[in-house]
């Protein structure tokens, strides 16, 4: 067992850290205010192949593994998790096509998604469901060589940015089983009436999506004719990978909270000495560092297994559960260490505190992660 990162992985980590510090950080105030992911930033991330790391070279991917992906994801999220979320959801879309698409679909759509020329979304959630796949209502009706899609999706990340959306629908012709369909976001009848007003993750664009008689070619059925009715399998497989991305985001946010706390505890003076001399603060820092380290190792373990093409359903549920809780504890301790200042917009722990909560909710609430993790032993 070798825990040492390769020279290439170290280089990638340094490149991603430098990029995040120099190119993402200056844009944070504008992203927090406008609640948009800047096009210019997407262009720069495309140049560095941040959307392409784990994809095959034949589709213009870098051909690296999920380990490299989580290393980049941690560094980006250490500076601004919204951008980690934006990349992660693009991967839900590209990953769906890479894992389940036909050869023609891969050739047609993957290079654009991987190169960042089209931005991907993954649309499952509806007003009546986020956790129950059986309850979705969006319908896809086959009419000759086309699908006609009607319904509403809510909380869809990147849905306002041009590209493709992989959409989960009830396939009426086969008794309402779930089928996934690749829908260009410029299709007639596709609209995103308004951005969702969130408490955090402001640089990640999230909107509700309305689908009114959206007509797309039948050949856009993910996986072709054989893919019909496989929506649940696609959902669970791709969300497992998505949760790996979220876990890496948690490590990045927790690492940032730890670094900010160490800095602050050295500078803040109470009773004539820096607060890091108090044992209470040392206990916080000790626990925080243990949480960050453990979460990172779990993320690397699950990324390694995914790169070995193993089923990560259970590992990714455990990793997401632990990493999001570890992040919550760490960021909460960071705010405690910062005292009243941590509660103000002057210090970045206030933003991280708002951003980190989402990790316990999206792509499956933690209650469900516990059930998935336990189900490995209860089958
Ligand atoms: C910022 C943001 C971005 C998002 N991006 C996307 C996206 O790109 N695509 C997409 O499809 N969705 C997206 N979502 C939606 C998100 O994935 C869902 O909101 C999430 O899965 C939870 O679903 P829900 O809100 O319907 O919660 P519910 O299912 O209503 O659950 C509410 C609570 O009930 C309990 N509960 C529910 N079911 C169970 C169960 N089976 N066992 C035990 N307890 C349970 C839990 O305590 C849970 O917290 C996003 C959401 C947000 C906030």
């Amino acid at each position: 067992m070798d825990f040492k990162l390769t020279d290439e992985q170290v280089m990638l980590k340094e490149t991603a850290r430098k990029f995040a510090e120099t190119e993402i950080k200056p844009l944070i105030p504008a992203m927090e205010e406008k609640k948009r992911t800047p096009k210019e930033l997407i262009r720069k991330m495309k140049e560095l192949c941040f959307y392409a790391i784990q994809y095959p070279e034949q589709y213009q991917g870098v051909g690296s593994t999920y380990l490299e992906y989580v290393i980049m994801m941690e560094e980006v999220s250490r500076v601004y998790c919204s951008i980690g979320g934006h990349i992660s959801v693009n991967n839900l879309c590209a990953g769906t096509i890479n894992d389940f698409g036909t050869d023609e679909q891969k050739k047609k759509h993957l290079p654009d998604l991987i190169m960042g020329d089209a931005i991907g979304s993954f649309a499952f959630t509806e007003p009546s469901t986020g956790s129950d796949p059986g309850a979705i209502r969006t319908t896809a009706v086959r009419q000759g060589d086309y699908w006609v899609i009607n319904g509403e999706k809510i909380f869809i990340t990147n849905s306002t940015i041009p590209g493709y959306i992989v959409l989960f629908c009830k396939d009426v012709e086969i008794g309402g089983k779930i089928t996934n369909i690749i829908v260009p976001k410029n299709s007639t009848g596709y609209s995103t009436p308004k951005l969702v007003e969130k408490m955090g993750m402001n640089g990640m664009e999230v909107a509700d999506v309305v689908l009114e008689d959206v007509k797309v070619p039948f050949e856009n059925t993910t996986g072709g004719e054989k893919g019909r009715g496989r929506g649940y399998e696609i959902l669970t497989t791709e969300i497992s990978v998505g949760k790996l991305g979220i876990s890496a985001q948690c490590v990045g946010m927790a690492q940032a909270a730890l670094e900010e706390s160490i800095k602050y505890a050295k500078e803040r003076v109470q009773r004539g000495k820096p607060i890091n001399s108090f044992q209470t603060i040392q206990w916080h820092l000790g626990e925080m560092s243990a949480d960050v380290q453990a979460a990172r190792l779990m993320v690397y373990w699950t990324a390694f297994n995914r790169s070995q093409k193993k089923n990560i359903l259970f590992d990714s549920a455990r990793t997401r559960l632990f990493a999001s809780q570890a992040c919550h504890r760490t960021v909460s301790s960071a705010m405690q260490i910062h005292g009243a200042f941590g509660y103000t917009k002057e210090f970045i722990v206030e933003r991280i505190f708002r951003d980190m909560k989402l990790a316990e909710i999206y792509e499956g609430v933690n209650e469900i992660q516990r059930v998935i993790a336990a189900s490995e032993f209860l089958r």
Side-chain angles (χ1 to χ4, degrees):
M1 195 176 292
D2 187 356
F3 284 98
K4 193 168 171 284
L5 297 184
T6 63
D7 290 346
E8 289 76 21
Q9 288 166 343
V10 171
M11 209 184 337
L12 170 67
K13 195 171 172 64
E14 286 168 0
T15 304
R17 178 167 291 211
K18 189 166 170 222
F19 178 83
E21 293 283 358
T22 57
E23 304 290 344
I24 299 179
K25 196 181 251 175
L27 301 180
I28 295 175
M31 286 191 264
E32 284 295 299
E33 192 197 326
K34 295 187 180 138
K35 312 207 171 2
R36 293 282 183 186
T37 313
K39 283 197 194 91
E40 185 56 15
L41 186 55
I42 294 175
R43 191 186 60 71
K44 286 179 179 165
M45 293 196 293
K46 162 190 155 158
E47 279 166 14
L48 281 179
C49 299
F50 280 5
Y51 299 104
I53 290 178
Q54 70 275 39
Y55 293 105
E57 285 166 279
Q58 74 181 114
Y59 302 116
Q60 300 188 27
V62 174
S64 292
T65 76
Y66 280 86
L67 267 171
E68 283 75 20
Y69 170 61
V70 296
I71 287 169
M72 176 278 295
M73 186 61 81
E74 176 188 332
E75 289 304 327
V76 166
S77 305
R78 173 181 162 275
V79 168
Y80 195 48
C81 187
S82 291
I83 298 305
H86 157 84
I87 297 172
S88 185
V89 173
N90 185 66
N91 279 322
L92 281 174
C93 179
T96 298
I97 297 170
N98 190 38
D99 294 336
F100 291 94
T102 61
D103 286 346
E104 291 71 35
Q105 288 166 347
K106 290 183 200 180
K107 275 188 216 136
K108 190 169 170 191
H109 303 297
L110 268 184
D112 275 355
L113 288 164
I114 287 174
M115 293 304 294
D117 291 327
I119 294 297
S121 298
F122 185 90
F124 168 75
T125 308
E126 298 189 0
S128 55
T129 183
S131 306
D132 178 8
I136 71 168
R137 295 204 178 132
T138 296
T139 55
V141 176
R142 186 173 179 182
Q143 286 183 1
D145 289 340
Y146 287 88
W147 286 111
V148 178
I149 303 169
N150 279 287
E152 190 187 351
K153 298 285 177 183
I154 57 170
F155 295 120
I156 306 305
T157 304
N158 295 341
S159 56
T160 40
I161 308 176
Y164 303 105
I165 188 162
V166 286
L167 192 75
F168 293 85
C169 309
K170 271 176 116 90
D171 185 335
V172 174
E173 202 177 62
I174 57 167
K177 285 190 188 154
I178 304 175
T179 291
N180 188 273
I181 301 171
I182 304 163
V183 177
K185 293 180 204 167
N186 61 2
S187 302
T188 305
Y190 175 100
S191 63
T192 51
K194 68 173 174 56
L195 287 176
V196 175
E197 293 228 12
K198 308 181 254 71
M199 71 181 260
M201 297 290 276
N202 286 322
M204 183 177 90
E205 292 185 28
V206 178
D208 297 345
V209 174
V210 176
L211 303 138
E212 282 174 319
D213 289 330
V214 172
K215 208 172 161 194
V216 294
F218 181 72
E219 66 189 24
N220 282 24
T221 316
T222 306
E225 179 68 46
K226 284 192 201 142
R228 290 179 81 180
R230 289 182 72 191
Y232 184 68
E233 184 190 347
I234 294 175
L235 181 71
T236 49
T237 306
E238 297 310 321
I239 287 282
S240 293
V241 185
K243 285 185 291 197
L244 176 60
I246 295 177
S247 304
Q249 291 164 36
C250 290
V251 176
M253 285 187 284
Q255 174 68 37
L258 175 61
E259 288 173 25
E260 290 299 310
S261 300
I262 294 168
K263 200 164 66 186
Y264 186 81
K266 280 183 185 164
E267 287 164 5
R268 177 73 174 163
V269 173
Q270 285 295 340
R271 293 174 193 264
K273 48 189 179 184
I275 59 170
N276 67 8
S277 62
F278 299 133
Q279 202 177 39
T280 45
I281 298 292
Q282 292 164 12
W283 282 11
H284 273 305
L285 294 174
E287 292 230 3
M288 291 160 79
S289 66
D291 265 339
V292 173
Q293 182 107 322
R296 183 178 291 118
L297 289 175
M298 284 181 89
V299 167
Y300 283 3
W301 162 257
T302 305
F304 174 78
N305 281 336
R306 169 68 193 180
S307 301
Q308 301 290 307
K309 300 201 178 352
K310 290 192 182 146
N311 181 343
I312 57 163
L313 177 70
F314 304 113
D315 275 338
S316 76
R318 275 190 280 273
T319 302
R320 206 318 273 281
L321 176 64
F322 181 81
S324 62
Q325 291 182 320
C327 182
H328 192 145
R329 285 192 293 270
T330 304
V331 178
S332 189
S333 291
M335 192 170 266
Q336 205 65 25
I337 290 171
H338 281 71
F341 290 103
Y343 200 67
T344 69
K345 296 207 179 277
E346 208 180 312
F347 286 84
I348 67 164
V349 291
E350 182 272 341
R351 174 176 52 73
I352 305 176
F353 196 87
R354 289 185 283 107
D355 289 348
M356 72 64 192
K357 183 58 199 172
L358 184 62
E360 294 179 313
I361 296 172
Y362 76 156
E363 297 186 28
V365 291
N366 270 0
E367 285 80 350
I368 291 185
Q369 305 317 320
R370 291 188 186 92
V371 173
I372 297 173
S375 69
E376 182 172 17
F377 316 111
L378 302 176
R379 286 183 297 169

